[in-house]
Amino acid sequence: MEQTQAGKIPSSVPEVPARGDTFQAARERLNERLAGVGEQARDAAQYADEAVHNNPWTSVGVGFGVGVLIGALIAMAASRGSRAL
């Protein structure tokens, strides 16, 4: 079951990478990804803040519309729940 180096199947135990190294590398990659996601979230929050400051009444209108939509969905769900009883 031994293959060449291209197959990457180790022929003995010492050739298997240590778990600590693998976990450390995975942790480093995860931290890099989280840092990137955090940076994108900060950029999105900054963009949203600027958009609201540049268009305050549009933002109020959108917020009102979303609130009405959520309220209507909750009212519909509540009326269906009371009919089932």
Side-chain angles (χ1 to χ4, degrees), residues 11-73:
S11 61
S12 64
V13 175
E15 293 179 23
V16 176
R19 282 189 173 176
D21 295 340
T22 303
F23 290 141
Q24 185 64 29
R27 179 176 287 159
E28 289 173 5
R29 285 194 312 268
L30 178 63
N31 286 336
E32 290 172 5
R33 302 276 176 158
L34 289 176
V37 169
E39 185 176 331
Q40 288 177 343
R42 279 188 295 280
D43 291 344
Q46 183 179 2
Y47 174 78
D49 184 54
E50 290 174 5
V52 169
H53 279 86
N54 292 335
N55 305 304
W57 288 111
T58 303
S59 303
V60 168
V62 168
F64 178 77
V66 169
V68 168
L69 179 64
I70 291 173
L73 291 173

